[in-house]
Every structure is written in C-alpha cells, then in structure tokens.
Amino acid sequence: MKALIEYLARALAREPEQVRVEEEHLGDRVILRLFVSDEDKGRVIGREGRIANALRALLHVAATRAGVRATLDIE
C-alpha cells in the first residue's frame, strides 16, 4: 500500500524526490502519511480534492485486499 501511494504521488509531483510516505500500524488499521513539497500539495490534492479522493479510493481497495483498514493523510 505504501509503495502504491508513493508511486502515484511521485508521478503527480513536479519534485518527486521530495515525496515521502510514512506508515503507522495500529492493530488492524494502517495510517499512511504522504509528505510532498508545498508547491506540489495542490497537484496531489487536485481541484475540490478529486485526486486525493481517487488516491484514497485506490488505497481502500488495496487495504481491503490485505484485510486491513487504511487512511491517507496528506501533509
């Protein structure tokens, strides 16, 4: 899941070397924190949050297949 989000965020960002994903496990729950440069936040979030929602939907599918619950925070 971490690799999926990192791959997609790097593809969207203008500064892919600054993309970083941290993963935290809390029981059956996984929290992914996506860090991007300030100027790439708009590109990763998208208009009205459409890209962020699409990333979260893909994460939900991957998490369901892995049998866990996952959330994505963009920071």
Side-chain angles (χ1 to χ4, degrees), residues 16-68:
E17 64 280 351
Q18 291 192 9
V19 172
R20 189 178 84 229
V21 178
E22 292 180 359
E23 188 174 34
E24 181 181 345
H25 295 271
L26 300 171
D28 68 338
R29 188 174 188 138
V30 177
I31 300 172
L32 295 173
R33 289 185 180 85
L34 174 61
F35 296 92
V36 295
S37 67
D38 287 339
E39 63 180 55
D40 282 335
K41 279 188 184 178
R43 294 176 62 83
V44 172
I45 294 172
R47 287 191 182 171
E48 297 180 9
R50 289 184 183 152
I51 295 174
N53 287 337
L55 290 172
R56 287 184 177 108
L58 290 171
L59 178 63
H60 177 73
V61 170
T64 301
R65 295 187 92 198
V68 295

